[in-house]
Amino acid sequence: MTDLADRSISVAFDDNRLVPLLYGEHDTNLLRIEHQLGVSLASRGNQVTIRGGEGAADRALLVLNTLWERLGRGLPVAAADVDTVIRFAEEGGGAPDALKRSEVGVRTKRRVVTARSGNQASYIEALESHDLVLGLGPAGTGKTYLAVAQAVAMLIAGRVDRIILSRPAVEAGERLGFLPGDLKEKVDPYLRPLYDALHDMLPPDQVAKHMETGVIEIAPLAFMRGRTLSNAYVILDEGQNATAMQMRMFLTRLGENSRMVVTGDISQIDLPPGVKSGLKEAIEILDGVEGVAFVRFDHRDVVRHALVTRIVRAYDALDRKRREGSP
């Protein structure tokens, strides 16, 4: 076990107006750093003394200095920002360059969405530079949210003319006709996560207006056959529940000046037994194809409640045991 007294570092901050924002209300930011990095922080006025193992103390210093720089640029330091900087410090082993990636982000009308892990930073970079991106991994890793943010940013910048949102029904779309209401009402329950993300990026009146005019379009996967999607940003969410035939159909809809993103978690396939997931097949077929980027997330990228990370980790461990044939 690491001795907290291995190393002691003192750091002073020179703007007394910003110090309370750095520490957080009732020193909550300092407590988060203590808890997550296993160090002890003692504050007195504008000075903080860090005690901990050599690596942990150095990372805590880097985290404090990074948060201080954020405040100096007028950026907020909320609990989520503290967690993000800690995450990058741990992933990068305390290297300052690693923390610079925490500033990789997407600007929309309502907010700037920044990466909260190294994989999220890679995902944002891939969304910017590739025509087809597959975001793979568990729930809560930001796959869908970041894809919608990039779509809105490109729409605002005039780089695409419309956003098309798609998601397979568990039954692959064949039973939508039995549900009450028009097409939008039938598919709305499946697309709610995409709507939620849209309303985070755009004012509600703009979302409604764009949907009325077709700038933002709801296109159930089962209804996309025969179309060519040009000048569009197209998102297929929950791609693991598309059949192989549907996935092939979807991917070949890509038109000129368009981008596509497919998100999914191949550990959460809801297709009937014996039906192959189109996402699993696409991963095999498209590996190495020019213009296609794969970004794989894991439990370390989960940005929901901390318990979600532990739940995902527990299920991953169970999956590994099953693959290895353990009881």
Side-chain angles (χ1 to χ4, degrees):
M1 185 173 178
T2 302
D3 183 358
L4 285 180
D6 284 352
R7 185 166 169 77
S8 177
I9 307 171
S10 291
V11 56
F13 302 99
D14 57 8
D15 189 335
N16 291 332
R17 296 175 301 110
L18 297 180
V19 166
L21 301 177
L22 176 67
Y23 294 177
E25 188 175 0
H26 305 302
D27 289 349
T28 52
N29 292 345
L30 299 184
L31 291 171
R32 294 182 86 85
I33 296 170
E34 282 187 329
H35 176 70
Q36 295 188 46
L37 291 180
V39 297
S40 171
L41 301 181
S43 62
R44 185 170 184 178
N46 67 343
Q47 182 171 302
V48 178
T49 300
I50 308 165
R51 291 186 176 86
E54 184 171 351
D58 289 339
R59 282 192 286 275
L61 176 62
L62 184 59
V63 167
L64 286 169
N65 285 333
T66 301
L67 295 172
W68 184 251
E69 289 174 10
R70 283 180 60 89
L71 288 169
R73 295 198 304 273
L75 298 173
V77 171
D81 303 305
V82 176
D83 291 345
T84 295
V85 173
I86 292 171
R87 187 189 299 256
F88 274 90
E90 290 183 310
E91 287 182 3
D97 287 348
L99 271 77
K100 291 180 182 177
R101 300 197 76 209
S102 67
E103 298 182 10
V104 174
V106 182
R107 182 177 296 275
T108 68
K109 283 200 171 180
R110 299 194 71 178
R111 64 179 60 199
V112 177
V113 182
T114 54
R116 294 191 179 181
S117 70
N119 282 332
Q120 283 198 359
S122 297
Y123 188 51
I124 292 172
E125 291 163 351
L127 293 172
E128 175 61 34
S129 59
H130 287 73
D131 291 336
L132 173 60
V133 179
L134 283 77
L136 311 169
T141 52
K143 306 182 299 297
T144 302
Y145 194 83
L146 292 172
V148 173
Q150 180 67 17
V152 170
M154 290 185 68
L155 181 69
I156 293 170
R159 295 169 62 186
V160 295
D161 296 334
R162 55 188 173 148
I163 297 171
I164 299 173
L165 308 175
S166 188
R167 196 179 193 195
V170 172
E171 297 88 359
E174 285 81 2
R175 300 186 187 177
L176 286 174
F178 293 96
L179 297 175
D182 60 20
L183 181 60
K184 179 179 179 298
E185 291 169 330
K186 292 174 191 291
V187 79
D188 266 1
Y190 297 102
L191 293 160
R192 181 49 52 190
L194 297 171
Y195 285 133
D196 291 343
L198 275 173
H199 281 91
D200 272 0
M201 310 302 167
L202 289 170
D205 59 329
Q206 288 193 23
V207 174
K209 180 181 177 182
H210 286 331
M211 293 187 71
E212 287 176 10
T213 59
V215 172
I216 297 175
E217 180 185 351
I218 305 303
L221 184 57
F223 289 71
M224 292 185 68
R225 187 176 300 278
R227 302 182 62 183
T228 300
L229 306 174
S230 302
N231 302 306
Y233 201 102
V234 191
I235 299 171
L236 175 61
D237 194 32
E238 298 288 344
Q240 76 276 4
N241 287 328
T243 65
M245 184 181 298
Q246 285 180 322
M247 183 62 72
R248 181 173 182 172
M249 176 271 293
F250 175 80
L251 295 174
T252 55
R253 300 308 94 199
L254 185 66
E256 195 167 338
N257 190 42
S258 287
R259 297 285 183 90
M260 266 189 181
V261 183
V262 179
T263 69
D265 178 4
I266 57 173
S267 72
Q268 296 290 323
I269 297 171
D270 299 315
L271 292 168
V275 178
K276 185 171 185 178
S277 165
L279 181 58
K280 287 188 74 172
E281 183 176 83
I283 292 168
E284 299 165 6
I285 293 172
L286 299 178
D287 186 27
V289 173
E290 184 179 354
V292 180
F294 292 84
V295 181
R296 292 175 169 84
F297 298 90
D298 59 31
H299 63 83
R300 292 168 295 182
D301 303 298
V302 173
V303 293
R304 292 179 180 169
H305 193 288
L307 180 57
V308 177
T309 301
R310 296 194 291 273
I311 291 170
V312 171
R313 190 185 298 127
Y315 273 98
D316 284 347
L318 177 62
D319 289 341
R320 283 194 300 273
K321 285 183 179 179
R322 286 173 174 169
R323 287 195 299 270
E324 293 165 0
S326 301

